[in-house]
Amino acid sequence: SCAASAAALGAKYANSNAADGAADAAVICGRGTGTALPACPAPATKGSTCVVSAPASGNYVEVRTSTRLPDGSTLLPPVLAAGMAGNGSYSGSRVAACARAAWGAPLISTGLSVTISSCEWAANTANGTSFAVAPSQGLPPASMERTIYLHSTSGATTCPAGPSGWDAPGGFGWLTEPNGSCLSPIRANGTFSGSTGVSASASCQSALSTARASHQFAYVPVYDGVTGTGSGTTYHLLGIATFVITGYSLSSVSASSWLTGLSPCHGSQRCLYGYFTQGLVRTSGTLTTNNLGASIVVLSG
């Protein structure tokens, strides 16, 4: 079971971190969507609970360890303490420690200078309940591939993506590139400037080609509202999705899908092909809500 696997893995790491290769991982607990983690009990040993209180919401795992000698005993021998005046009856003590990690959506990251609408993301992931397997786990079926249209392309839909005045066109659009690398800083619940036109910059052409060839997911910002037009376009970012780019059809460059061998877009249509999955952003930072597929892990106690 998942719980048994977690216990075995926790014990393995606890032993690896002990100088003598022996330690107890007495408790592995927490809260996690889709996991079998038991709720954390009250600490039975002084020092065995984490200093910071567990988060009131969200996912976390807590590991409580304690000393164990190779012979199975748990008390550290009092090599010097028993020789101190008045301490002759002291027989040793058990030392405990606690560590906690939380995981969830990152507040800040860096992603491709391409943004897709929240309604497009919701439609293609069944409101965040249907994701393809991660690239490390193999290839998904061809039926998991999705076609995402550029916002001004025929075939793109219009969907409400926020309060009145924030109706966003379905599909994707380009963000401005601060460093000309087709990478944009992303902050959930922040706003970002859009780039005019439907053509991909040379740097974005290169970035998309690299992403397609890698068969790995890219971090893509998801917007839930847009105001203005042209050079005055501003997107409101909801969160970060993980999207594996399999192909594309843009005004200056195109590549068929490596997954299906097809090119669903034709003529003047501008599209990205690929599938949504879930993945870990290799960075530390602050957690936020609205997990759209990208997660980070942070120490929290």
Side-chain angles (χ1 to χ4, degrees):
S1 70
C2 179
S5 298
L9 190 60
K12 174 184 175 182
Y13 286 142
N15 289 336
S16 298
N17 279 286
D20 59 1
D24 268 343
V27 176
I28 298 178
C29 58
R31 179 177 56 241
T33 304
T35 72
L37 288 169
C40 289
T45 305
K46 183 179 180 181
S48 66
T49 185
C50 291
V51 176
V52 180
S53 299
S57 60
N59 302 315
Y60 76 93
V61 61
E62 185 174 304
V63 180
R64 301 177 186 176
T65 63
S66 60
T67 52
R68 176 173 61 83
L69 298 181
D71 64 3
S73 62
T74 60
L75 299 184
L76 292 181
V79 178
L80 298 176
M84 298 178 65
N87 217 29
S89 62
Y90 179 64
S91 59
S93 63
R94 186 176 188 177
V95 179
C98 173
R100 184 190 302 124
W103 71 94
L107 176 65
I108 300 173
S109 187
T110 299
L112 288 176
S113 298
V114 174
T115 180
I116 63 174
S117 69
S118 57
C119 55
E120 191 83 357
W121 175 86
N124 286 305
T125 63
N127 289 314
T129 62
S130 177
F131 293 96
V133 296
S136 61
Q137 298 176 322
L139 295 179
S143 60
M144 293 300 295
E145 185 172 82
R146 303 289 184 255
T147 300
I148 311 296
Y149 294 91
L150 190 64
H151 63 74
S152 58
T153 293
S154 62
T157 58
T158 298
C159 53
S164 177
W166 286 84
D167 285 351
F172 73 95
W174 304 108
L175 295 176
T176 54
E177 305 172 48
N179 301 314
S181 60
C182 201
L183 293 174
S184 296
I186 303 167
R187 182 183 179 91
N189 295 319
T191 56
F192 297 86
S193 299
S195 178
T196 59
V198 297
S199 298
S201 65
S203 58
C204 279
Q205 291 180 38
S206 176
L208 292 175
S209 177
T210 298
R212 176 180 178 272
S214 74
H215 292 198
Q216 300 299 309
F217 55 73
Y219 306 124
V220 177
V222 177
Y223 67 88
D224 59 358
V226 60
T227 56
T229 59
S231 60
T233 301
T234 298
Y235 292 99
H236 180 267
L237 272 293
L238 175 68
I240 305 168
T242 41
F243 186 69
V244 178
I245 296 172
T246 59
Y248 41 83
S249 178
L250 304 172
S251 57
S252 51
V253 64
S254 63
S256 59
S257 166
W258 56 257
L259 180 64
T260 65
L262 303 177
S263 297
C265 286
H266 304 283
S268 61
Q269 292 180 324
R270 303 291 177 257
C271 312
L272 296 180
Y273 319 136
Y275 57 90
F276 292 94
T277 184
Q278 295 174 297
L280 185 66
V281 179
R282 297 182 181 276
T283 183
S284 60
T286 303
L287 299 179
T288 186
T289 55
N290 301 325
N291 194 319
L292 307 183
S295 297
I296 61 172
V297 177
V298 299
L299 295 179
S300 62

